[in-house]
Amino acid sequence: MNKAANRPVEIALRALQLIFAIIAMGTDGYAIHAYRGHTVYQHFEFGNFYEYYGVPNAWGFLMFCAAWTFLGVIFLVVAEISFANHKLIGYIRVAVEVVALFSWLASFIAVAVNIGSNVCPEEENGCGSLMAATVFGALEWLLFVITTILTIKLVFNGTRRPKTSTTSPGIPI
């Protein structure tokens, strides 16, 4: 795909990434809000104590990925528009894409592990929205797979080559 035909596709994919990040942030935020931690009485031979279990860290990591996506997508759009011919910015764009790709992969898998377990049983209020957050996290990951592949192809296949020959015309090859 050439660069001109790639522009509308990239804008549509970036818009979907922002929309899915908003949805994932909202549903995960509701799950965090609705989750009620619980206290467990622990009995040991040395003494007893109450231990409080709060919101799992994976849920916060999904929220972080959704918030980080805003910064990443804004950078990627600005870099594509303003610094399209800069080689270093191209490599930074690839790095941002790859970090976002692996962050979303790790976050939606970490949250999916909690669904149906003791942390988030089926009858809990926030678990339905947590399932939705997991689905949109997986869709966000798929979008980043597509955009990462497009960015890698654009950056590494579009490298500049010298316009003139490096050999002199009188030297036989």
Side-chain angles (χ1 to χ4, degrees):
M1 218 191 272
N2 65 7
K3 196 172 188 178
N6 195 18
R7 179 78 47 144
V9 172
E10 184 177 348
I11 290 172
L13 289 172
R14 299 294 179 199
L16 280 174
Q17 285 174 337
L18 287 176
I19 290 168
F20 286 175
I22 290 170
I23 294 171
M25 189 182 298
T27 53
D28 188 38
Y30 176 75
I32 290 171
H33 171 74
Y35 182 77
R36 302 287 184 240
H38 59 280
T39 304
V40 175
Y41 179 74
Q42 297 287 341
H43 176 69
F44 295 103
E45 64 181 72
F46 302 111
N48 305 326
F49 70 95
Y50 290 95
E51 188 173 8
Y52 178 75
Y53 292 99
V55 175
N57 293 334
W59 301 8
F61 183 60
L62 184 71
M63 182 70 77
F64 167 77
C65 287
W68 188 83
T69 297
F70 282 110
L71 297 175
V73 169
I74 289 170
F75 167 76
L76 290 168
V77 168
V78 169
E80 174 63 28
I81 293 170
S82 301
F83 305 106
N85 295 329
H86 289 70
K87 195 173 190 179
L88 178 64
I89 299 295
Y91 294 141
I92 294 171
R93 286 176 47 212
V94 169
V96 168
E97 289 274 1
V98 169
V99 168
L101 173 78
F102 288 126
S103 296
W104 277 105
L105 177 67
S107 67
F108 93 82
I109 289 175
V111 173
V113 168
N114 290 323
I115 297 173
S117 67
N118 290 338
V119 175
C120 190
E122 296 290 328
E123 60 272 358
E124 185 95 19
N125 281 344
C127 289
S129 65
L130 192 64
M131 287 182 213
T134 305
V135 168
F136 280 102
L139 292 174
E140 189 81 45
W141 174 73
L142 286 174
L143 287 173
F144 270 106
V145 167
I146 295 168
T147 58
T148 301
I149 291 170
L150 291 175
T151 302
I152 288 172
K153 283 182 178 180
L154 185 68
V155 169
F156 291 116
N157 290 343
T159 57
R160 295 186 186 187
R161 291 182 175 81
K163 293 181 181 177
T164 58
S165 175
T166 56
T167 61
S168 9
I171 300 173
I173 299 179

